Amino acid sequence: LSMIAHQWRQPLSEVSGILMELETASKFHKVSDEMIKESVNESNKLIQFMSYTIDDFRIFFKPDKQKVNFYIEDSCYEAISLITASIKNYNITLNKKIICNCEIYGYKREFAQVLLNLINNAKNKIVEKNIDFRKKAQIKINIERSAYYNIIEIIDDGGAIDEKIINSIFDPYFTTKETGTGFGLYMAKVIIEDKMRGIITVKNVNDTVVFTIKLP
């Protein structure tokens, strides 16, 4: 339940933001049919994701869950669409560089949740570090292909991870947050390495942090 709550916080916040925006527009008589339609569509996407989250957690450990063929970019956009409003709120720029939109075989929604988790963690780290938002802190997503792997990189300039703990961040229950569960990155590792036979790693590069996912 705590893990589901962790996954739900961001979508719930964004639904709340959509409603507040509608309320403000209504007060100033600036609500249009187009705005209402767009708000409904965005809210439905968020609610559908929350429903998917329950299903994914419910059957998370069941070995008979089917894999499907899907394009990496589709999962990438699915994750980004859920957090765009929050990123913009903090004046963070999200840049995507897709060299190869490769088709992979695996768990599409769970892979999207891994991306969402990494992007959300990057956003939170930038906010916690009190980065000068006038400089527009960045989160970068690079998708490319090598001879043996499809490679996805999530890079943020929110400052390096302490070298004393960097080797422990994928451990279950490990967290540096007072309200953290310590399961987000652990679950990402389980999904990528145990369920999709890939590799997930993290490293500091100067003042940036690079999470790298390699999938066959």
Side-chain angles (χ1 to χ4, degrees), residues 59 62-70 104-110 190-198 215-216:
I59 58 178
K62 289 186 178 181
D64 60 347
K65 189 171 183 180
Q66 291 185 348
K67 293 183 176 181
V68 296
N69 290 307
F70 65 93
I104 58 177
Y105 184 63
Y107 303 101
K108 182 181 178 181
R109 287 202 304 268
E110 291 186 9
V190 169
I191 291 168
I192 297 301
E193 297 192 351
D194 294 351
K195 305 186 79 173
M196 296 182 68
R197 296 186 297 174
L215 293 170

Side-chain angles (χ1 to χ4, degrees), residues 115-138:
L115 296 179
L116 178 64
N117 197 314
L118 294 177
I119 296 168
N120 193 49
N121 283 351
K123 181 214 73 177
N124 288 338
K125 184 157 67 72
I126 289 171
V127 173
E128 290 167 6
K129 293 283 186 179
N130 294 316
I131 303 298
D132 187 349
F133 296 123
R134 290 171 296 179
K135 296 180 181 178
K136 288 193 176 182
Q138 291 189 67

Side-chain angles (χ1 to χ4, degrees), residues 7 67 75 98 102 104 125 134 152 154 156-157 169:
Q7 292 281 18
K67 293 183 176 181
S75 280
I98 301 174
C102 308
I104 58 177
K125 184 157 67 72
R134 290 171 296 179
I152 304 95
I154 311 291
D156 74 79
D157 57 6
I169 64 173

Side-chain angles (χ1 to χ4, degrees), residues 70-88:
F70 65 93
Y71 287 96
I72 293 176
E73 187 177 11
D74 292 343
S75 280
C76 182
Y77 279 119
E78 184 177 334
I80 291 172
S81 67
L82 297 171
I83 200 169
T84 297
S86 179
I87 288 175
K88 287 181 177 178

Side-chain angles (χ1 to χ4, degrees), residues 1-185:
L1 284 173
S2 65
M3 286 187 284
I4 292 172
H6 183 73
Q7 292 281 18
W8 272 27
R9 280 194 191 100
Q10 191 60 46
L12 283 173
S13 295
E14 294 200 25
V15 170
S16 177
I18 291 169
L19 292 174
M20 287 177 65
E21 187 177 357
L22 277 174
E23 183 182 26
T24 302
S26 177
K27 286 181 180 179
F28 291 95
H29 305 289
K30 292 184 178 180
V31 177
S32 64
D33 290 344
E34 183 180 352
M35 183 181 184
I36 292 174
K37 183 178 179 180
E38 184 178 337
S39 298
V40 169
N41 287 338
E42 289 180 8
S43 298
N44 282 336
K45 285 181 183 178
L46 293 163
I47 292 168
Q48 187 177 47
F49 174 79
M50 292 165 68
S51 177
Y52 285 162
T53 298
I54 293 175
D55 291 338
D56 285 340
F57 275 97
R58 182 173 57 84
I59 58 178
F60 185 76
F61 291 106
K62 289 186 178 181
D64 60 347
K65 189 171 183 180
Q66 291 185 348
K67 293 183 176 181
V68 296
N69 290 307
F70 65 93
Y71 287 96
I72 293 176
E73 187 177 11
D74 292 343
S75 280
C76 182
Y77 279 119
E78 184 177 334
I80 291 172
S81 67
L82 297 171
I83 200 169
T84 297
S86 179
I87 288 175
K88 287 181 177 178
N89 184 54
Y90 290 104
N91 201 26
I92 299 171
T93 302
L94 197 153
N95 294 318
K96 303 180 295 295
K97 183 179 180 182
I98 301 174
I99 297 175
C100 177
N101 181 25
C102 308
E103 187 178 31
I104 58 177
Y105 184 63
Y107 303 101
K108 182 181 178 181
R109 287 202 304 268
E110 291 186 9
F111 178 68
Q113 287 184 7
V114 170
L115 296 179
L116 178 64
N117 197 314
L118 294 177
I119 296 168
N120 193 49
N121 283 351
K123 181 214 73 177
N124 288 338
K125 184 157 67 72
I126 289 171
V127 173
E128 290 167 6
K129 293 283 186 179
N130 294 316
I131 303 298
D132 187 349
F133 296 123
R134 290 171 296 179
K135 296 180 181 178
K136 288 193 176 182
Q138 291 189 67
I139 299 173
K140 299 178 182 178
I141 303 174
N142 298 329
I143 301 173
E144 58 183 332
R145 187 173 186 174
S146 68
Y148 301 103
Y149 290 103
N150 301 296
I151 301 172
I152 304 95
E153 291 181 330
I154 311 291
I155 306 166
D156 74 79
D157 57 6
I161 299 174
D162 189 337
E163 292 290 344
K164 294 178 181 178
I165 67 169
I166 197 168
N167 292 326
S168 302
I169 64 173
F170 291 110
D171 294 346
Y173 303 110
F174 180 84
T175 181
T176 58
K177 302 174 184 176
E178 292 183 5
T179 58
T181 62
F183 267 94
L185 290 176

